[in-house]
């Protein structure tokens, strides 16, 4: 998002807890962001002191969708964290990026995807290609006129809202063994 200047299209939180952004990365982007820490909710010290992010910032509810960048994206391990669950439990549209077949894993668990808005074709691609395809999808979404995005939602409102409710209810019913399985598809 920094490289193509898409940061200007929404709110973001940037929290460097363990891996600082390389200076070369900061100077190459088209946005004005230069690696400064931006927090909408909790800072690193607060998180490290084991306080949960139970109250989202006001921007979270005003944003059309959330980007859920999972902890593991460069491996075949499917690992769902609060980055994904918070959206499901709060009935929020979100576009996730996790390991290969991450979205398929959600679907296999019974969750319904929001294909009316998002293109998930990136999910099955190997790491580098998956990142590029995900960024292209973000760029497509971020450059759509807001009116068009809103109209797309309104045309599909009943179906999307039903999926949000269904996914929330499914998450509330899941048992640990159901979401801890293996998704090695080779």
């Amino acid at each position: 998002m920094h490289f193509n200047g898409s940061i200007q299209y929404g709110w973001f939180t940037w929290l460097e807890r363990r891996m600082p952004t390389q200076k070369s990365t900061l100077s190459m982007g088209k946005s004005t962001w230069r690696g400064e820490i931006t927090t909408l909710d909790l800072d690193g010290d607060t998180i490290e002191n084991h306080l949960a992010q139970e109250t989202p910032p006001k921007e979270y509810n005003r944003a059309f969708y959330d980007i859920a960048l999972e902890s593991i994206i460069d491996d075949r391990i499917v690992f769902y964290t609060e980055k994904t669950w918070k959206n499901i439990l709060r009935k929020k549209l979100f576009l996730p990026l996790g390991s290969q077949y991450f979205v398929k894993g959600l679907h296999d668990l019974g969750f319904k995807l929001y294909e009316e808005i998002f293109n998930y074709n990136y999910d099955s691609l190997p790491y580098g290609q998956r990142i590029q395809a995900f960024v292209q999808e973000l760029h497509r979404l971020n450059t759509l006129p807001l009116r068009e995005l809103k109209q797309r939602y309104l045309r599909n409102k009943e179906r999307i809202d039903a999926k949000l409710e269904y996914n929330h209810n499914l998450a509330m019913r899941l048992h640990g063994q159901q979401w801890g399985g293996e998704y090695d598809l080779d």
Side-chain angles (χ1 to χ4, degrees), residues 2-177:
H2 170 59
F3 285 132
N4 67 22
S6 294
I7 285 178
Q8 70 190 19
Y9 294 110
W11 294 290
F12 69 99
T13 293
W14 181 258
L15 177 61
E16 290 182 335
R17 288 171 63 192
R18 295 181 183 90
M19 297 178 357
T21 303
Q22 297 175 353
K23 291 189 187 317
S24 60
T25 300
L26 299 176
S27 62
M28 293 169 58
K30 294 180 182 176
S31 77
T32 58
W33 175 76
R34 291 293 178 251
E36 57 276 351
I37 294 174
T38 304
T39 57
L40 294 176
D41 39 24
L42 301 177
D43 61 22
D45 291 337
T46 305
I47 293 169
E48 295 301 332
N49 287 328
H50 309 291
L51 295 176
Q53 297 183 45
E54 295 173 3
T55 304
K58 66 184 180 307
E59 291 85 358
Y60 178 82
N61 293 319
R62 292 172 47 201
F64 182 69
Y65 69 95
D66 187 53
I67 301 167
L69 298 177
E70 274 298 348
S71 299
I72 297 174
I73 60 172
D74 60 349
D75 201 337
R76 297 284 308 272
I77 297 170
V78 176
F79 184 67
Y80 301 107
T81 70
E82 82 287 349
K83 297 166 192 78
T84 294
W85 292 117
K86 73 176 181 181
N87 295 300
I88 293 171
L89 294 173
R90 291 184 176 140
K91 303 175 191 175
K92 178 79 172 178
L93 285 173
F94 71 104
L95 185 66
L97 177 63
S99 56
Q100 191 176 30
Y101 302 112
F102 184 89
V103 175
K104 181 185 183 321
L106 285 173
H107 182 264
D108 289 350
L109 288 170
F111 291 99
K112 297 183 179 184
L113 305 176
Y114 310 106
E115 291 147 336
E116 300 85 356
I117 305 292
F118 305 121
N119 178 341
Y120 300 103
N121 289 342
Y122 61 87
D123 186 55
S124 64
L125 299 173
Y127 175 67
Q129 293 173 19
R130 189 170 65 257
I131 301 297
Q132 288 176 352
F134 182 81
V135 168
Q136 287 174 353
E137 175 62 1
L138 285 178
H139 185 69
R140 180 189 72 82
L141 291 164
N142 288 338
T143 56
L144 274 175
L146 188 55
R147 171 174 279 148
E148 184 178 330
L149 199 54
K150 184 177 180 180
Q151 287 172 344
R152 186 175 297 181
Y153 168 75
L154 290 174
R155 279 193 307 269
N156 298 286
K157 183 180 182 337
E158 254 182 63
R159 186 174 34 230
I160 291 171
D161 289 352
K163 287 180 181 184
L164 290 166
E165 186 68 30
Y166 173 87
N167 289 341
H168 168 83
N169 292 335
L170 175 60
M172 296 300 287
R173 291 189 317 265
L174 285 179
H175 299 285
Q177 69 270 16

